Amino acid sequence: MLINRSDISVLQHLSTVKELVPIVDIPESFKTDFNRFFFGKTLVKDENNNLFAYPSDIKRWIQVLFLTYKD
């Protein structure tokens, strides 16, 4: 997995948001891990069919992600 600083910055920002997180904001380098973690979890659609994740689920996913790849 190729990760750059901007991907880490985006994850840092996403870990502190209080509103629904648009799925399009997830960096491409983490999409596989995101899809694996969010399989079966609740996502929200708006009137334009855009998908959003709950901020608490995003925070939990980022914690799991960092624990998985910290070594």
Side-chain angles (χ1 to χ4, degrees):
M1 169 181 353
L2 183 62
I3 302 170
N4 57 35
R5 282 183 191 238
S6 64
D7 293 344
I8 299 297
S9 296
V10 169
L11 288 182
Q12 183 179 10
H13 168 71
L14 291 177
S15 69
T16 61
V17 296
K18 304 289 185 206
E19 63 276 349
L20 292 173
V21 177
I23 302 302
V24 296
D25 288 352
I26 305 298
E28 285 297 319
S29 57
F30 296 112
K31 284 288 188 178
T32 302
D33 291 312
F34 178 85
N35 291 335
R36 189 176 302 133
F37 182 82
F38 277 86
F39 180 76
K41 292 202 182 308
T42 302
L43 298 175
V44 180
K45 259 189 199 180
D46 67 359
E47 61 277 350
N48 297 326
N49 285 333
N50 298 321
L51 285 176
F52 295 87
Y54 289 106
S56 59
D57 288 339
I58 292 291
K59 290 174 189 173
R60 173 71 64 189
W61 169 65
I62 292 172
Q63 289 173 348
V64 169
L65 192 66
F66 277 105
L67 288 174
T68 302
Y69 292 111
K70 74 177 182 176
D71 293 329

